[in-house]
Amino acid sequence: GTWETKFSLKQIVTFSDGLEYMFMKARIPHVPYYNNEKVEMITLSFDGSGNSDNSVVIDFIKSKDTSDFVDLEDHPNWLLNSRVVADNTDVSIPKINIDFSKRLNLSAEK
């Protein structure tokens, strides 16, 4: 599958531990956004495989807590209350490597 909006730009981000990771950037026409005192969340569309008409969405959730732990109990409420707050939003997300659907790793590819 592929992202509904192609991520055509790249950005290298240096984390607090000094390691650099590749992020992908794109201007996306409509991005559902949710924000409360605990989390921020955006939802991006991902097209299914070429053999299927299925499409999925992927939620990127950022904790506002210093522990980075996110309790997903209220996730259905976040989805119901997500809104597109601006057209043509610039989005930068980490490039990830998927290892046989067992784990996700930030990509160190440059």
mmCIF file with all atom_site columns, all heavy atoms in Angstrom, residues 59-85:
data_model
loop_
_atom_site.group_PDB
_atom_site.id
_atom_site.type_symbol
_atom_site.label_atom_id
_atom_site.label_alt_id
_atom_site.label_comp_id
_atom_site.label_asym_id
_atom_site.label_entity_id
_atom_site.label_seq_id
_atom_site.pdbx_PDB_ins_code
_atom_site.Cartn_x
_atom_site.Cartn_y
_atom_site.Cartn_z
_atom_site.occupancy
_atom_site.B_iso_or_equiv
_atom_site.pdbx_formal_charge
_atom_site.auth_seq_id
_atom_site.auth_comp_id
_atom_site.auth_asym_id
_atom_site.auth_atom_id
_atom_site.pdbx_PDB_model_num
ATOM 1   N N   . ASP A 1 59 ? -3.485  6.505  12.831 1.00 0.00 ? 59 ASP A N   1
ATOM 2   C CA  . ASP A 1 59 ? -3.483  7.608  13.776 1.00 0.00 ? 59 ASP A CA  1
ATOM 3   C C   . ASP A 1 59 ? -2.075  7.792  14.339 1.00 0.00 ? 59 ASP A C   1
ATOM 4   O O   . ASP A 1 59 ? -1.464  6.831  14.807 1.00 0.00 ? 59 ASP A O   1
ATOM 5   C CB  . ASP A 1 59 ? -4.441  7.339  14.940 1.00 0.00 ? 59 ASP A CB  1
ATOM 6   C CG  . ASP A 1 59 ? -5.881  7.263  14.482 1.00 0.00 ? 59 ASP A CG  1
ATOM 7   O OD1 . ASP A 1 59 ? -6.245  8.013  13.562 1.00 0.00 ? 59 ASP A OD1 1
ATOM 8   O OD2 . ASP A 1 59 ? -6.636  6.455  15.053 1.00 0.00 ? 59 ASP A OD2 1
ATOM 9   N N   . PHE A 1 60 ? -1.587  9.004  14.285 1.00 0.00 ? 60 PHE A N   1
ATOM 10  C CA  . PHE A 1 60 ? -0.318  9.364  14.918 1.00 0.00 ? 60 PHE A CA  1
ATOM 11  C C   . PHE A 1 60 ? -0.671  10.126 16.177 1.00 0.00 ? 60 PHE A C   1
ATOM 12  O O   . PHE A 1 60 ? -1.271  11.198 16.126 1.00 0.00 ? 60 PHE A O   1
ATOM 13  C CB  . PHE A 1 60 ? 0.536   10.215 13.976 1.00 0.00 ? 60 PHE A CB  1
ATOM 14  C CG  . PHE A 1 60 ? 1.111   9.428  12.836 1.00 0.00 ? 60 PHE A CG  1
ATOM 15  C CD1 . PHE A 1 60 ? 0.386   9.247  11.671 1.00 0.00 ? 60 PHE A CD1 1
ATOM 16  C CD2 . PHE A 1 60 ? 2.367   8.849  12.940 1.00 0.00 ? 60 PHE A CD2 1
ATOM 17  C CE1 . PHE A 1 60 ? 0.903   8.510  10.618 1.00 0.00 ? 60 PHE A CE1 1
ATOM 18  C CE2 . PHE A 1 60 ? 2.887   8.109  11.889 1.00 0.00 ? 60 PHE A CE2 1
ATOM 19  C CZ  . PHE A 1 60 ? 2.157   7.938  10.723 1.00 0.00 ? 60 PHE A CZ  1
ATOM 20  N N   . ILE A 1 61 ? -0.304  9.543  17.321 1.00 0.00 ? 61 ILE A N   1
ATOM 21  C CA  . ILE A 1 61 ? -0.698  10.087 18.616 1.00 0.00 ? 61 ILE A CA  1
ATOM 22  C C   . ILE A 1 61 ? 0.550   10.521 19.374 1.00 0.00 ? 61 ILE A C   1
ATOM 23  O O   . ILE A 1 61 ? 1.484   9.744  19.536 1.00 0.00 ? 61 ILE A O   1
ATOM 24  C CB  . ILE A 1 61 ? -1.471  9.036  19.436 1.00 0.00 ? 61 ILE A CB  1
ATOM 25  C CG1 . ILE A 1 61 ? -2.694  8.558  18.648 1.00 0.00 ? 61 ILE A CG1 1
ATOM 26  C CG2 . ILE A 1 61 ? -1.865  9.589  20.801 1.00 0.00 ? 61 ILE A CG2 1
ATOM 27  C CD1 . ILE A 1 61 ? -3.357  7.325  19.218 1.00 0.00 ? 61 ILE A CD1 1
ATOM 28  N N   . LYS A 1 62 ? 0.540   11.758 19.838 1.00 0.00 ? 62 LYS A N   1
ATOM 29  C CA  . LYS A 1 62 ? 1.657   12.301 20.613 1.00 0.00 ? 62 LYS A CA  1
ATOM 30  C C   . LYS A 1 62 ? 1.172   12.590 22.019 1.00 0.00 ? 62 LYS A C   1
ATOM 31  O O   . LYS A 1 62 ? 0.224   13.350 22.221 1.00 0.00 ? 62 LYS A O   1
ATOM 32  C CB  . LYS A 1 62 ? 2.169   13.577 19.961 1.00 0.00 ? 62 LYS A CB  1
ATOM 33  C CG  . LYS A 1 62 ? 3.276   14.233 20.730 1.00 0.00 ? 62 LYS A CG  1
ATOM 34  C CD  . LYS A 1 62 ? 3.653   15.551 20.092 1.00 0.00 ? 62 LYS A CD  1
ATOM 35  C CE  . LYS A 1 62 ? 4.611   16.287 21.000 1.00 0.00 ? 62 LYS A CE  1
ATOM 36  N NZ  . LYS A 1 62 ? 4.611   17.705 20.739 1.00 0.00 ? 62 LYS A NZ  1
ATOM 37  N N   . SER A 1 63 ? 1.833   11.974 22.986 1.00 0.00 ? 63 SER A N   1
ATOM 38  C CA  . SER A 1 63 ? 1.505   12.211 24.390 1.00 0.00 ? 63 SER A CA  1
ATOM 39  C C   . SER A 1 63 ? 2.013   13.578 24.831 1.00 0.00 ? 63 SER A C   1
ATOM 40  O O   . SER A 1 63 ? 3.082   14.009 24.419 1.00 0.00 ? 63 SER A O   1
ATOM 41  C CB  . SER A 1 63 ? 2.150   11.124 25.254 1.00 0.00 ? 63 SER A CB  1
ATOM 42  O OG  . SER A 1 63 ? 1.995   11.431 26.620 1.00 0.00 ? 63 SER A OG  1
ATOM 43  N N   . LYS A 1 64 ? 1.249   14.243 25.666 1.00 0.00 ? 64 LYS A N   1
ATOM 44  C CA  . LYS A 1 64 ? 1.709   15.497 26.274 1.00 0.00 ? 64 LYS A CA  1
ATOM 45  C C   . LYS A 1 64 ? 2.330   15.239 27.644 1.00 0.00 ? 64 LYS A C   1
ATOM 46  O O   . LYS A 1 64 ? 2.805   16.156 28.300 1.00 0.00 ? 64 LYS A O   1
ATOM 47  C CB  . LYS A 1 64 ? 0.549   16.486 26.391 1.00 0.00 ? 64 LYS A CB  1
ATOM 48  C CG  . LYS A 1 64 ? 0.066   16.975 25.038 1.00 0.00 ? 64 LYS A CG  1
ATOM 49  C CD  . LYS A 1 64 ? -1.010  18.012 25.207 1.00 0.00 ? 64 LYS A CD  1
ATOM 50  C CE  . LYS A 1 64 ? -1.470  18.546 23.880 1.00 0.00 ? 64 LYS A CE  1
ATOM 51  N NZ  . LYS A 1 64 ? -2.534  19.546 24.035 1.00 0.00 ? 64 LYS A NZ  1
ATOM 52  N N   . ASP A 1 65 ? 2.332   13.989 28.063 1.00 0.00 ? 65 ASP A N   1
ATOM 53  C CA  . ASP A 1 65 ? 2.917   13.585 29.340 1.00 0.00 ? 65 ASP A CA  1
ATOM 54  C C   . ASP A 1 65 ? 4.406   13.300 29.124 1.00 0.00 ? 65 ASP A C   1
ATOM 55  O O   . ASP A 1 65 ? 4.810   12.830 28.068 1.00 0.00 ? 65 ASP A O   1
ATOM 56  C CB  . ASP A 1 65 ? 2.201   12.329 29.849 1.00 0.00 ? 65 ASP A CB  1
ATOM 57  C CG  . ASP A 1 65 ? 2.599   11.938 31.250 1.00 0.00 ? 65 ASP A CG  1
ATOM 58  O OD1 . ASP A 1 65 ? 3.401   12.646 31.874 1.00 0.00 ? 65 ASP A OD1 1
ATOM 59  O OD2 . ASP A 1 65 ? 2.106   10.903 31.729 1.00 0.00 ? 65 ASP A OD2 1
ATOM 60  N N   . THR A 1 66 ? 5.203   13.551 30.122 1.00 0.00 ? 66 THR A N   1
ATOM 61  C CA  . THR A 1 66 ? 6.641   13.314 29.990 1.00 0.00 ? 66 THR A CA  1
ATOM 62  C C   . THR A 1 66 ? 6.983   11.829 29.895 1.00 0.00 ? 66 THR A C   1
ATOM 63  O O   . THR A 1 66 ? 8.059   11.478 29.434 1.00 0.00 ? 66 THR A O   1
ATOM 64  C CB  . THR A 1 66 ? 7.409   13.926 31.177 1.00 0.00 ? 66 THR A CB  1
ATOM 65  O OG1 . THR A 1 66 ? 6.880   13.382 32.396 1.00 0.00 ? 66 THR A OG1 1
ATOM 66  C CG2 . THR A 1 66 ? 7.296   15.434 31.184 1.00 0.00 ? 66 THR A CG2 1
ATOM 67  N N   . SER A 1 67 ? 6.069   10.945 30.269 1.00 0.00 ? 67 SER A N   1
ATOM 68  C CA  . SER A 1 67 ? 6.349   9.507  30.201 1.00 0.00 ? 67 SER A CA  1
ATOM 69  C C   . SER A 1 67 ? 6.164   8.945  28.798 1.00 0.00 ? 67 SER A C   1
ATOM 70  O O   . SER A 1 67 ? 6.566   7.840  28.514 1.00 0.00 ? 67 SER A O   1
ATOM 71  C CB  . SER A 1 67 ? 5.438   8.742  31.164 1.00 0.00 ? 67 SER A CB  1
ATOM 72  O OG  . SER A 1 67 ? 4.106   8.739  30.669 1.00 0.00 ? 67 SER A OG  1
ATOM 73  N N   . ASP A 1 68 ? 5.547   9.698  27.897 1.00 0.00 ? 68 ASP A N   1
ATOM 74  C CA  . ASP A 1 68 ? 5.234   9.257  26.532 1.00 0.00 ? 68 ASP A CA  1
ATOM 75  C C   . ASP A 1 68 ? 4.260   8.084  26.497 1.00 0.00 ? 68 ASP A C   1
ATOM 76  O O   . ASP A 1 68 ? 4.042   7.490  25.453 1.00 0.00 ? 68 ASP A O   1
ATOM 77  C CB  . ASP A 1 68 ? 6.488   8.889  25.738 1.00 0.00 ? 68 ASP A CB  1
ATOM 78  C CG  . ASP A 1 68 ? 7.288   10.120 25.359 1.00 0.00 ? 68 ASP A CG  1
ATOM 79  O OD1 . ASP A 1 68 ? 6.691   11.208 25.262 1.00 0.00 ? 68 ASP A OD1 1
ATOM 80  O OD2 . ASP A 1 68 ? 8.499   9.999  25.161 1.00 0.00 ? 68 ASP A OD2 1
ATOM 81  N N   . PHE A 1 69 ? 3.675   7.724  27.640 1.00 0.00 ? 69 PHE A N   1
ATOM 82  C CA  . PHE A 1 69 ? 2.671   6.658  27.689 1.00 0.00 ? 69 PHE A CA  1
ATOM 83  C C   . PHE A 1 69 ? 1.326   7.228  27.265 1.00 0.00 ? 69 PHE A C   1
ATOM 84  O O   . PHE A 1 69 ? 0.933   8.306  27.694 1.00 0.00 ? 69 PHE A O   1
ATOM 85  C CB  . PHE A 1 69 ? 2.568   6.082  29.105 1.00 0.00 ? 69 PHE A CB  1
ATOM 86  C CG  . PHE A 1 69 ? 1.472   5.074  29.250 1.00 0.00 ? 69 PHE A CG  1
ATOM 87  C CD1 . PHE A 1 69 ? 1.636   3.784  28.791 1.00 0.00 ? 69 PHE A CD1 1
ATOM 88  C CD2 . PHE A 1 69 ? 0.256   5.431  29.816 1.00 0.00 ? 69 PHE A CD2 1
ATOM 89  C CE1 . PHE A 1 69 ? 0.617   2.848  28.903 1.00 0.00 ? 69 PHE A CE1 1
ATOM 90  C CE2 . PHE A 1 69 ? -0.767  4.511  29.936 1.00 0.00 ? 69 PHE A CE2 1
ATOM 91  C CZ  . PHE A 1 69 ? -0.587  3.214  29.486 1.00 0.00 ? 69 PHE A CZ  1
ATOM 92  N N   . VAL A 1 70 ? 0.622   6.486  26.394 1.00 0.00 ? 70 VAL A N   1
ATOM 93  C CA  . VAL A 1 70 ? -0.702  6.911  25.948 1.00 0.00 ? 70 VAL A CA  1
ATOM 94  C C   . VAL A 1 70 ? -1.709  5.831  26.290 1.00 0.00 ? 70 VAL A C   1
ATOM 95  O O   . VAL A 1 70 ? -1.583  4.691  25.841 1.00 0.00 ? 70 VAL A O   1
ATOM 96  C CB  . VAL A 1 70 ? -0.725  7.178  24.422 1.00 0.00 ? 70 VAL A CB  1
ATOM 97  C CG1 . VAL A 1 70 ? -2.126  7.503  23.959 1.00 0.00 ? 70 VAL A CG1 1
ATOM 98  C CG2 . VAL A 1 70 ? 0.238   8.297  24.067 1.00 0.00 ? 70 VAL A CG2 1
ATOM 99  N N   . ASP A 1 71 ? -2.696  6.176  27.095 1.00 0.00 ? 71 ASP A N   1
ATOM 100 C CA  . ASP A 1 71 ? -3.789  5.268  27.419 1.00 0.00 ? 71 ASP A CA  1
ATOM 101 C C   . ASP A 1 71 ? -4.822  5.391  26.302 1.00 0.00 ? 71 ASP A C   1
ATOM 102 O O   . ASP A 1 71 ? -5.412  6.456  26.105 1.00 0.00 ? 71 ASP A O   1
ATOM 103 C CB  . ASP A 1 71 ? -4.397  5.640  28.761 1.00 0.00 ? 71 ASP A CB  1
ATOM 104 C CG  . ASP A 1 71 ? -5.494  4.681  29.205 1.00 0.00 ? 71 ASP A CG  1
ATOM 105 O OD1 . ASP A 1 71 ? -5.935  3.842  28.390 1.00 0.00 ? 71 ASP A OD1 1
ATOM 106 O OD2 . ASP A 1 71 ? -5.917  4.782  30.360 1.00 0.00 ? 71 ASP A OD2 1
ATOM 107 N N   . LEU A 1 72 ? -5.053  4.317  25.555 1.00 0.00 ? 72 LEU A N   1
ATOM 108 C CA  . LEU A 1 72 ? -5.939  4.355  24.392 1.00 0.00 ? 72 LEU A CA  1
ATOM 109 C C   . LEU A 1 72 ? -7.407  4.137  24.737 1.00 0.00 ? 72 LEU A C   1
ATOM 110 O O   . LEU A 1 72 ? -8.237  4.030  23.837 1.00 0.00 ? 72 LEU A O   1
ATOM 111 C CB  . LEU A 1 72 ? -5.486  3.319  23.367 1.00 0.00 ? 72 LEU A CB  1
ATOM 112 C CG  . LEU A 1 72 ? -4.120  3.587  22.741 1.00 0.00 ? 72 LEU A CG  1
ATOM 113 C CD1 . LEU A 1 72 ? -3.721  2.445  21.827 1.00 0.00 ? 72 LEU A CD1 1
ATOM 114 C CD2 . LEU A 1 72 ? -4.120  4.909  21.995 1.00 0.00 ? 72 LEU A CD2 1
ATOM 115 N N   . GLU A 1 73 ? -7.740  4.117  26.008 1.00 0.00 ? 73 GLU A N   1
ATOM 116 C CA  . GLU A 1 73 ? -9.131  3.897  26.406 1.00 0.00 ? 73 GLU A CA  1
ATOM 117 C C   . GLU A 1 73 ? -10.080 4.913  25.774 1.00 0.00 ? 73 GLU A C   1
ATOM 118 O O   . GLU A 1 73 ? -11.191 4.576  25.369 1.00 0.00 ? 73 GLU A O   1
ATOM 119 C CB  . GLU A 1 73 ? -9.250  3.946  27.932 1.00 0.00 ? 73 GLU A CB  1
ATOM 120 C CG  . GLU A 1 73 ? -10.652 3.710  28.419 1.00 0.00 ? 73 GLU A CG  1
ATOM 121 C CD  . GLU A 1 73 ? -10.757 3.737  29.946 1.00 0.00 ? 73 GLU A CD  1
ATOM 122 O OE1 . GLU A 1 73 ? -9.716  3.777  30.626 1.00 0.00 ? 73 GLU A OE1 1
ATOM 123 O OE2 . GLU A 1 73 ? -11.889 3.703  30.438 1.00 0.00 ? 73 GLU A OE2 1
ATOM 124 N N   . ASP A 1 74 ? -9.646  6.166  25.649 1.00 0.00 ? 74 ASP A N   1
ATOM 125 C CA  . ASP A 1 74 ? -10.501 7.215  25.084 1.00 0.00 ? 74 ASP A CA  1
ATOM 126 C C   . ASP A 1 74 ? -10.335 7.395  23.576 1.00 0.00 ? 74 ASP A C   1
ATOM 127 O O   . ASP A 1 74 ? -10.874 8.339  23.000 1.00 0.00 ? 74 ASP A O   1
ATOM 128 C CB  . ASP A 1 74 ? -10.222 8.550  25.783 1.00 0.00 ? 74 ASP A CB  1
ATOM 129 C CG  . ASP A 1 74 ? -10.711 8.552  27.223 1.00 0.00 ? 74 ASP A CG  1
ATOM 130 O OD1 . ASP A 1 74 ? -11.718 7.868  27.506 1.00 0.00 ? 74 ASP A OD1 1
ATOM 131 O OD2 . ASP A 1 74 ? -10.089 9.239  28.057 1.00 0.00 ? 74 ASP A OD2 1
ATOM 132 N N   . HIS A 1 75 ? -9.587  6.505  22.939 1.00 0.00 ? 75 HIS A N   1
ATOM 133 C CA  . HIS A 1 75 ? -9.331  6.631  21.496 1.00 0.00 ? 75 HIS A CA  1
ATOM 134 C C   . HIS A 1 75 ? -10.613 6.755  20.665 1.00 0.00 ? 75 HIS A C   1
ATOM 135 O O   . HIS A 1 75 ? -10.679 7.611  19.772 1.00 0.00 ? 75 HIS A O   1
ATOM 136 C CB  . HIS A 1 75 ? -8.471  5.463  21.004 1.00 0.00 ? 75 HIS A CB  1
ATOM 137 C CG  . HIS A 1 75 ? -8.067  5.578  19.579 1.00 0.00 ? 75 HIS A CG  1
ATOM 138 N ND1 . HIS A 1 75 ? -8.610  4.769  18.608 1.00 0.00 ? 75 HIS A ND1 1
ATOM 139 C CD2 . HIS A 1 75 ? -7.200  6.412  18.946 1.00 0.00 ? 75 HIS A CD2 1
ATOM 140 C CE1 . HIS A 1 75 ? -8.086  5.090  17.447 1.00 0.00 ? 75 HIS A CE1 1
ATOM 141 N NE2 . HIS A 1 75 ? -7.218  6.085  17.619 1.00 0.00 ? 75 HIS A NE2 1
ATOM 142 N N   . PRO A 1 76 ? -11.669 5.967  20.924 1.00 0.00 ? 76 PRO A N   1
ATOM 143 C CA  . PRO A 1 76 ? -12.904 6.154  20.137 1.00 0.00 ? 76 PRO A CA  1
ATOM 144 C C   . PRO A 1 76 ? -13.461 7.575  20.245 1.00 0.00 ? 76 PRO A C   1
ATOM 145 O O   . PRO A 1 76 ? -13.948 8.140  19.263 1.00 0.00 ? 76 PRO A O   1
ATOM 146 C CB  . PRO A 1 76 ? -13.871 5.129  20.735 1.00 0.00 ? 76 PRO A CB  1
ATOM 147 C CG  . PRO A 1 76 ? -12.985 4.065  21.300 1.00 0.00 ? 76 PRO A CG  1
ATOM 148 C CD  . PRO A 1 76 ? -11.774 4.808  21.826 1.00 0.00 ? 76 PRO A CD  1
ATOM 149 N N   . ASN A 1 77 ? -13.363 8.179  21.417 1.00 0.00 ? 77 ASN A N   1
ATOM 150 C CA  . ASN A 1 77 ? -13.819 9.555  21.614 1.00 0.00 ? 77 ASN A CA  1
ATOM 151 C C   . ASN A 1 77 ? -12.956 10.539 20.824 1.00 0.00 ? 77 ASN A C   1
ATOM 152 O O   . ASN A 1 77 ? -13.451 11.501 20.248 1.00 0.00 ? 77 ASN A O   1
ATOM 153 C CB  . ASN A 1 77 ? -13.807 9.891  23.103 1.00 0.00 ? 77 ASN A CB  1
ATOM 154 C CG  . ASN A 1 77 ? -14.344 11.263 23.379 1.00 0.00 ? 77 ASN A CG  1
ATOM 155 O OD1 . ASN A 1 77 ? -15.416 11.632 22.911 1.00 0.00 ? 77 ASN A OD1 1
ATOM 156 N ND2 . ASN A 1 77 ? -13.585 12.038 24.139 1.00 0.00 ? 77 ASN A ND2 1
ATOM 157 N N   . TRP A 1 78 ? -11.647 10.289 20.796 1.00 0.00 ? 78 TRP A N   1
ATOM 158 C CA  . TRP A 1 78 ? -10.753 11.161 20.028 1.00 0.00 ? 78 TRP A CA  1
ATOM 159 C C   . TRP A 1 78 ? -11.141 11.142 18.552 1.00 0.00 ? 78 TRP A C   1
ATOM 160 O O   . TRP A 1 78 ? -11.173 12.174 17.896 1.00 0.00 ? 78 TRP A O   1
ATOM 161 C CB  . TRP A 1 78 ? -9.307  10.736 20.174 1.00 0.00 ? 78 TRP A CB  1
ATOM 162 C CG  . TRP A 1 78 ? -8.783  10.665 21.578 1.00 0.00 ? 78 TRP A CG  1
ATOM 163 C CD1 . TRP A 1 78 ? -9.307  11.241 22.701 1.00 0.00 ? 78 TRP A CD1 1
ATOM 164 C CD2 . TRP A 1 78 ? -7.634  9.948  22.001 1.00 0.00 ? 78 TRP A CD2 1
ATOM 165 N NE1 . TRP A 1 78 ? -8.539  10.930 23.802 1.00 0.00 ? 78 TRP A NE1 1
ATOM 166 C CE2 . TRP A 1 78 ? -7.509  10.134 23.408 1.00 0.00 ? 78 TRP A CE2 1
ATOM 167 C CE3 . TRP A 1 78 ? -6.692  9.152  21.353 1.00 0.00 ? 78 TRP A CE3 1
ATOM 168 C CZ2 . TRP A 1 78 ? -6.477  9.576  24.144 1.00 0.00 ? 78 TRP A CZ2 1
ATOM 169 C CZ3 . TRP A 1 78 ? -5.662  8.598  22.088 1.00 0.00 ? 78 TRP A CZ3 1
ATOM 170 C CH2 . TRP A 1 78 ? -5.564  8.804  23.468 1.00 0.00 ? 78 TRP A CH2 1
ATOM 171 N N   . LEU A 1 79 ? -11.441 9.945  18.048 1.00 0.00 ? 79 LEU A N   1
ATOM 172 C CA  . LEU A 1 79 ? -11.829 9.814  16.638 1.00 0.00 ? 79 LEU A CA  1
ATOM 173 C C   . LEU A 1 79 ? -13.125 10.566 16.352 1.00 0.00 ? 79 LEU A C   1
ATOM 174 O O   . LEU A 1 79 ? -13.244 11.265 15.346 1.00 0.00 ? 79 LEU A O   1
ATOM 175 C CB  . LEU A 1 79 ? -11.987 8.345  16.254 1.00 0.00 ? 79 LEU A CB  1
ATOM 176 C CG  . LEU A 1 79 ? -10.704 7.515  16.239 1.00 0.00 ? 79 LEU A CG  1
ATOM 177 C CD1 . LEU A 1 79 ? -11.032 6.047  16.040 1.00 0.00 ? 79 LEU A CD1 1
ATOM 178 C CD2 . LEU A 1 79 ? -9.736  8.022  15.191 1.00 0.00 ? 79 LEU A CD2 1
ATOM 179 N N   . LEU A 1 80 ? -14.106 10.411 17.243 1.00 0.00 ? 80 LEU A N   1
ATOM 180 C CA  . LEU A 1 80 ? -15.394 11.092 17.052 1.00 0.00 ? 80 LEU A CA  1
ATOM 181 C C   . LEU A 1 80 ? -15.266 12.609 17.078 1.00 0.00 ? 80 LEU A C   1
ATOM 182 O O   . LEU A 1 80 ? -16.046 13.311 16.440 1.00 0.00 ? 80 LEU A O   1
ATOM 183 C CB  . LEU A 1 80 ? -16.387 10.645 18.126 1.00 0.00 ? 80 LEU A CB  1
ATOM 184 C CG  . LEU A 1 80 ? -16.923 9.228  18.005 1.00 0.00 ? 80 LEU A CG  1
ATOM 185 C CD1 . LEU A 1 80 ? -17.739 8.858  19.237 1.00 0.00 ? 80 LEU A CD1 1
ATOM 186 C CD2 . LEU A 1 80 ? -17.761 9.089  16.742 1.00 0.00 ? 80 LEU A CD2 1
ATOM 187 N N   . ASN A 1 81 ? -14.282 13.104 17.810 1.00 0.00 ? 81 ASN A N   1
ATOM 188 C CA  . ASN A 1 81 ? -14.132 14.546 17.972 1.00 0.00 ? 81 ASN A CA  1
ATOM 189 C C   . ASN A 1 81 ? -13.001 15.157 17.147 1.00 0.00 ? 81 ASN A C   1
ATOM 190 O O   . ASN A 1 81 ? -12.685 16.331 17.302 1.00 0.00 ? 81 ASN A O   1
ATOM 191 C CB  . ASN A 1 81 ? -13.940 14.881 19.457 1.00 0.00 ? 81 ASN A CB  1
ATOM 192 C CG  . ASN A 1 81 ? -15.214 14.633 20.227 1.00 0.00 ? 81 ASN A CG  1
ATOM 193 O OD1 . ASN A 1 81 ? -16.194 15.338 20.046 1.00 0.00 ? 81 ASN A OD1 1
ATOM 194 N ND2 . ASN A 1 81 ? -15.220 13.603 21.059 1.00 0.00 ? 81 ASN A ND2 1
ATOM 195 N N   . SER A 1 82 ? -12.403 14.377 16.262 1.00 0.00 ? 82 SER A N   1
ATOM 196 C CA  . SER A 1 82 ? -11.374 14.903 15.369 1.00 0.00 ? 82 SER A CA  1
ATOM 197 C C   . SER A 1 82 ? -12.016 15.815 14.336 1.00 0.00 ? 82 SER A C   1
ATOM 198 O O   . SER A 1 82 ? -13.111 15.540 13.843 1.00 0.00 ? 82 SER A O   1
ATOM 199 C CB  . SER A 1 82 ? -10.650 13.758 14.642 1.00 0.00 ? 82 SER A CB  1
ATOM 200 O OG  . SER A 1 82 ? -9.886  13.008 15.534 1.00 0.00 ? 82 SER A OG  1
ATOM 201 N N   . ARG A 1 83 ? -11.335 16.878 14.005 1.00 0.00 ? 83 ARG A N   1
ATOM 202 C CA  . ARG A 1 83 ? -11.829 17.842 13.022 1.00 0.00 ? 83 ARG A CA  1
ATOM 203 C C   . ARG A 1 83 ? -10.687 18.299 12.125 1.00 0.00 ? 83 ARG A C   1
ATOM 204 O O   . ARG A 1 83 ? -9.546  18.405 12.577 1.00 0.00 ? 83 ARG A O   1
ATOM 205 C CB  . ARG A 1 83 ? -12.414 19.079 13.711 1.00 0.00 ? 83 ARG A CB  1
ATOM 206 C CG  . ARG A 1 83 ? -13.576 18.790 14.636 1.00 0.00 ? 83 ARG A CG  1
ATOM 207 C CD  . ARG A 1 83 ? -14.832 18.411 13.850 1.00 0.00 ? 83 ARG A CD  1
ATOM 208 N NE  . ARG A 1 83 ? -15.945 18.095 14.724 1.00 0.00 ? 83 ARG A NE  1
ATOM 209 C CZ  . ARG A 1 83 ? -16.323 16.871 15.055 1.00 0.00 ? 83 ARG A CZ  1
ATOM 210 N NH1 . ARG A 1 83 ? -15.686 15.833 14.602 1.00 0.00 ? 83 ARG A NH1 1
ATOM 211 N NH2 . ARG A 1 83 ? -17.365 16.675 15.834 1.00 0.00 ? 83 ARG A NH2 1
ATOM 212 N N   . VAL A 1 84 ? -11.003 18.618 10.881 1.00 0.00 ? 84 VAL A N   1
ATOM 213 C CA  . VAL A 1 84 ? -10.037 19.258 9.998  1.00 0.00 ? 84 VAL A CA  1
ATOM 214 C C   . VAL A 1 84 ? -10.041 20.729 10.374 1.00 0.00 ? 84 VAL A C   1
ATOM 215 O O   . VAL A 1 84 ? -11.053 21.407 10.238 1.00 0.00 ? 84 VAL A O   1
ATOM 216 C CB  . VAL A 1 84 ? -10.407 19.058 8.514  1.00 0.00 ? 84 VAL A CB  1
ATOM 217 C CG1 . VAL A 1 84 ? -9.463  19.842 7.618  1.00 0.00 ? 84 VAL A CG1 1
ATOM 218 C CG2 . VAL A 1 84 ? -10.387 17.575 8.157  1.00 0.00 ? 84 VAL A CG2 1
ATOM 219 N N   . VAL A 1 85 ? -8.911  21.217 10.891 1.00 0.00 ? 85 VAL A N   1
ATOM 220 C CA  . VAL A 1 85 ? -8.874  22.596 11.373 1.00 0.00 ? 85 VAL A CA  1
ATOM 221 C C   . VAL A 1 85 ? -8.272  23.564 10.355 1.00 0.00 ? 85 VAL A C   1
ATOM 222 O O   . VAL A 1 85 ? -8.435  24.770 10.481 1.00 0.00 ? 85 VAL A O   1
ATOM 223 C CB  . VAL A 1 85 ? -8.118  22.708 12.717 1.00 0.00 ? 85 VAL A CB  1
ATOM 224 C CG1 . VAL A 1 85 ? -8.886  21.991 13.811 1.00 0.00 ? 85 VAL A CG1 1
ATOM 225 C CG2 . VAL A 1 85 ? -6.715  22.164 12.609 1.00 0.00 ? 85 VAL A CG2 1
#
